[in-house]
Amino acid sequence: MTSNIRLKQWVKEMVELCEPDQVHWCDGSQAEYDQICSILIQKGTFRRLNPDLRPNSFLCESDPRDVARVEQSTFICSRQREDAGLTNNWRDPDEMKALLLPIYHGCMRGRTMYVIPYSMGPLGSSISQIGVELTDSGYVAANMRIMTRMGKQVLDVLGDNPFIPCLHSVGKPLRPGEEDVPWPCNPENRYIVHFPEEKMIWSYGSGYGGNALLGKKCFALRIASVMARERGWLAEHMLILGLTSPEGEKRYITGAFPSACGKTNLAMLIPTLPGWKVETVGDDIAWMKFGEDGRLYAINPEFGFFGVAPGTSMESNRNAMLSMRENSIFTNVALTPEGDVWWEGMTPEKPPRLTSWLHEPWTPDGGKPAAHPNARFTAPAGQCPAIDPAWEDPRGVPISAILFGGRRPSLVPLIHQSFNWQHGVFLGSVVSSERTAAADGTVGAIRRDPFAMLPFCGYNMADYFAHWLCLGNRHDADKLPRIFYVNWFRKSAAGRFLWPGYGENSRVLKWVFERCSGAGEALTTPIGHVPAPGALDVRGLEIGEAELAELFRVDREGWIREAASIREYYATFGPRFPQQLYEELGALEGRLR
Ligand code: GTP
Ligand code: SPV
Ligand code: MN
């Protein structure tokens, strides 16, 4: 087990609180994984997929009430309300504990508590961090083995050092003799709770994704963002990719887009431009620190992908499809009669017959989706054919450019570049996007999602902006990444996407690459630099002059209204909001006049 006294003591206390029938310390071995999966099959949680089509892979359907992150039930429990800020749900930490302790009492009766030591980041990297998740969900234990480096070797590295305690329960204790359900959960009592000062996570009532795999959003973003601010680094909702030019020069780029807005797709992109290559470092989270050379270095703290299934195909994202060809878990997708998986957009033709994610017989004319819109695959990152050779480098990879973006059907051009770091922080602070199925809420409604971190920043967002601004105050500021804003989702008057997206986004990446090298022609507009006519490589692409013009059009009237909406938005942050961002807004308004 472990010699770590703090860990032993905490597990003992949590066992006394939650009263599981058994405690299982995860060693992370294949044999243990196989055993957990066969228990899940016996319970009806997992179904083994056809081993000839999808070796060592499982299908899992959740309770239909537990299908996405629940932002309304997510809390930041700092001592002071102001430290959580107005974009987070705040509760006093003592009050939250007083509320939750009775709820946790006996919550694991009839179940096994899995003790999961895990490392976010390569074992032993100075950027990595160790957490221990206690969970009564075998589904979580199985997913954590794919998503994180977990098990015995983590305890060896941890030694007697501190760790991040993460307590998770599905919130459904079993009475003696009570039969379990395939997906236990407690939708009426869901709490995803963070104690940023104590650096501790308590999650209750949900077994799904970011609510339950606590290394991901809860630790690697909400808690890590607090640690990052304290110690001068960054924990961000960003993909990381390596881009190599036909001349063999390589640059690394990160991108922050809100949930279900294209990070996984961009991270694994197969360029349509001849000679260019994209390699994947990470698809969801980046931890970044300055190196001794003054450059910003990023690691992917995760070990797997928890990606959106619908829309993923050999056409749109071949590397994702190949990553999940075996050793993967599929949640809320449909089952084919042959024992493989299917979801909307996976093949051009819909299969004639399926079993839907709701376990119902499904045919294409039924009018209902076969897979849930937030259905996900869990796949080992190492299985990605385009995984970057440096993806596990403990030093991280040096970042040349940062992209922000979201789904904006109008106004925002395909790409524009900030004038400088401070203006780039302004661009990050005003990211806005249509809402998606990744979280509970109205799909399609436009909301501001600064830095794609609205649901994931563990402290006051105004302080977060200030932290980003502060990192730009360096004597060697010329080594900072260049900052861009992209929008793959601008639509024509007829409501069709103007830009083909996916592999064609390599054309935009090429311009970013060139801008970082001091090349790449640009036009200066009131909102930033856009590619000069002819500077975006559209050779071989079937796109009309009118569409191209519309993709880059900067609509002055529209931007004047946008600036007014930003001013209203900024006013919601209160007294800690940094003055420099008002300066940037004022400068934008001035340029639009
Ligand atoms: P999370 O895992 O929730 O953080 O999502 P993500 O940001 O990784 O999004 P992902 O790459 O999974 O894409 C989500 C959806 O957007 C999928 O249905 C994609 O098909 C679609 N999408 C991704 N890239 C593009 C693009 O360039 N153009 C268009 N039109 N759609 C895209
Ligand atoms: C997101 O919602 O941004 C995700 C999925 O990456 S989850 O892990 O559920 O947060
Ligand atoms: Mn995400």
Side-chain angles (χ1 to χ4, degrees):
M1 265 190 334
T2 178
S3 63
N4 191 305
I5 293 166
R6 245 177 296 203
L7 175 55
K8 286 201 280 200
Q9 182 62 25
W10 175 64
V11 172
K12 182 166 169 283
E13 282 167 22
M14 293 304 110
V15 168
E16 280 163 14
L17 174 66
C18 302
E19 301 179 350
D21 280 12
Q22 293 138 63
V23 179
H24 177 110
W25 287 71
C26 290
D27 61 19
S29 65
Q30 182 69 40
E32 175 185 78
Y33 179 78
D34 295 342
Q35 188 213 343
I36 293 172
C37 292
S38 56
I39 295 172
L40 288 167
I41 288 174
Q42 277 165 33
K43 281 175 170 282
T45 310
F46 270 11
R47 168 199 283 269
R48 184 180 291 280
L49 293 166
N50 184 334
D52 296 330
L53 304 173
R54 199 70 65 170
N56 193 30
S57 297
F58 303 91
L59 171 66
C60 177
E61 280 121 5
S62 78
D63 185 305
R65 299 166 299 174
D66 193 25
V67 294
R69 284 185 295 100
V70 282
E71 295 180 3
Q72 282 321 305
S73 312
T74 301
F75 299 92
I76 302 295
C77 299
S78 48
R79 295 240 153 257
Q80 303 297 320
R81 175 186 283 260
E82 299 74 55
D83 291 334
L86 292 167
T87 59
N88 281 313
N89 297 316
W90 175 83
R91 290 285 188 286
D92 176 84
D94 295 332
E95 282 171 27
M96 185 53 103
K97 285 179 192 168
L99 171 75
L100 288 182
L101 282 173
I103 296 179
Y104 275 110
H105 183 220
C107 70
M108 294 189 185
R109 277 181 211 154
R111 302 192 181 281
T112 298
M113 175 195 275
Y114 295 95
V115 181
I116 307 171
Y118 66 93
S119 172
M120 297 313 287
L123 273 167
S125 159
S126 65
I127 311 185
S128 299
Q129 300 283 344
I130 288 176
V132 180
E133 177 162 354
L134 307 183
T135 179
D136 55 6
S137 162
Y139 171 85
V140 167
N143 275 270
M144 284 294 282
R145 182 162 181 274
I146 300 176
M147 293 305 297
T148 70
R149 295 151 178 98
M150 72 93 125
K152 189 185 167 305
Q153 79 273 37
V154 178
L155 289 181
D156 298 341
V157 172
L158 177 65
D160 294 327
N161 293 304
F163 58 94
I164 304 295
C166 311
L167 175 62
H168 171 253
S169 173
V170 295
K172 198 161 186 321
L174 296 168
R175 288 182 302 273
E178 183 182 344
E179 206 185 318
D180 202 1
V181 292
W183 186 276
C185 61
N186 190 340
E188 283 76 44
N189 293 291
R190 280 190 290 221
Y191 296 91
I192 320 299
V193 181
H194 308 75
F195 300 97
E197 285 108 0
E198 249 180 283
K199 313 271 187 301
M200 179 169 81
I201 301 159
W202 285 5
S203 167
Y204 189 91
S206 167
Y208 204 89
N211 299 333
L213 311 175
L214 301 185
K216 197 173 177 58
K217 302 300 156 110
C218 296
F219 180 3
L221 290 178
R222 298 197 190 93
I223 294 294
S225 63
V226 174
M227 302 166 87
R229 177 177 175 235
E230 288 168 356
R231 299 175 211 166
W233 51 284
L234 290 164
E236 300 298 327
H237 191 202
M238 289 180 178
L239 69 98
I240 312 164
L241 65 81
L243 177 63
T244 307
S245 72
E247 291 72 36
E249 197 187 337
K250 186 164 192 177
R251 292 188 178 279
Y252 287 95
I253 298 174
T254 67
F257 315 150
S259 301
C261 290
K263 289 183 299 300
T264 301
N265 277 272
L266 192 68
M268 299 180 190
L269 165 152
I270 299 174
T272 50
L273 281 179
W276 290 80
K277 183 163 81 176
V278 165
E279 289 164 295
T280 312
V281 177
D283 81 325
D284 199 50
I285 299 177
W287 285 358
M288 297 189 283
K289 279 187 185 169
F290 284 102
E292 274 162 21
D293 60 358
R295 297 193 68 188
L296 197 55
Y297 284 77
I299 65 159
N300 169 14
E302 301 191 279
F303 197 50
F305 308 124
F306 186 64
V308 178
T312 309
S313 67
M314 288 303 270
E315 262 303 283
S316 68
N317 194 346
R318 188 167 195 274
N319 286 326
M321 293 298 286
L322 295 175
S323 303
M324 56 174 111
R325 67 193 178 274
E326 56 186 344
N327 307 316
S328 297
I329 299 169
F330 297 85
T331 310
N332 289 344
V333 305
L335 176 69
T336 69
E338 297 76 36
D340 199 5
V341 290
W342 192 85
W343 46 79
E344 276 65 26
M346 178 170 161
T347 53
E349 302 282 313
K350 293 181 179 179
R353 266 187 329 279
L354 295 167
T355 306
S356 79
W357 74 281
L358 291 165
H359 304 269
E360 291 164 351
W362 180 95
T363 53
D365 48 21
K368 282 208 248 170
H372 186 276
N374 191 39
R376 300 243 168 195
F377 58 85
T378 318
Q383 288 184 186
C384 180
I387 200 74
D388 194 90
W391 86 282
E392 299 204 84
D393 190 329
R395 291 165 304 180
V397 295
I399 301 304
S400 298
I402 296 173
L403 315 180
F404 295 114
R407 291 175 182 261
R408 284 293 296 260
S410 62
L411 193 70
V412 180
L414 180 62
I415 182 158
H416 61 293
Q417 183 184 2
S418 75
F419 297 120
N420 51 47
W421 182 266
Q422 177 169 304
H423 182 229
V425 175
F426 170 79
L427 296 187
S429 78
V430 301
V431 167
S432 68
S433 191
E434 292 176 319
R435 302 192 63 167
T436 65
D440 276 7
T442 317
V443 171
I446 291 188
R447 71 166 177 185
R448 296 262 169 224
D449 188 347
F451 291 76
M453 283 288 277
L454 180 70
F456 307 122
C457 184
Y459 61 99
N460 189 318
M461 187 66 84
D463 294 338
Y464 170 90
F465 296 155
H467 179 52
W468 265 84
L469 288 165
C470 176
L471 290 184
N473 293 330
R474 301 177 65 85
H475 67 275
D476 49 359
D478 58 313
K479 290 185 181 154
L480 288 167
R482 306 291 185 262
I483 300 181
F484 301 79
Y485 196 116
V486 299
N487 180 23
W488 317 137
F489 301 94
R490 197 166 188 175
K491 287 181 177 170
S492 67
R496 285 230 302 276
F497 288 124
L498 286 162
W499 181 249
Y502 303 101
E504 303 295 1
N505 293 335
S506 57
R507 300 171 186 278
V508 176
L509 293 181
K510 178 185 175 191
W511 187 73
V512 168
F513 187 102
E514 289 167 350
R515 292 294 290 169
C516 294
S517 312
E521 293 293 309
L523 276 186
T524 302
T525 79
I527 64 168
H529 300 299
V530 300
L536 187 81
D537 188 344
V538 291
R539 277 173 298 175
L541 181 67
E542 279 182 36
I543 187 163
E545 283 301 319
E547 279 79 20
L548 261 186
E550 179 60 16
L551 274 168
F552 288 111
R553 188 165 66 92
V554 177
D555 163 18
R556 228 167 243 273
E557 294 304 314
W559 277 100
I560 289 171
R561 282 193 299 276
E562 179 77 1
S565 127
I566 293 170
R567 196 163 273 286
E568 272 175 40
Y569 178 61
Y570 275 6
T572 64
F573 285 98
R576 295 206 202 166
F577 189 79
Q579 190 54 37
Q580 294 102 303
L581 292 181
Y582 273 123
E583 284 166 22
E584 287 298 328
L585 176 57
L588 171 65
E589 288 165 334
R591 293 191 299 267
L592 288 165
R593 249 179 243 125

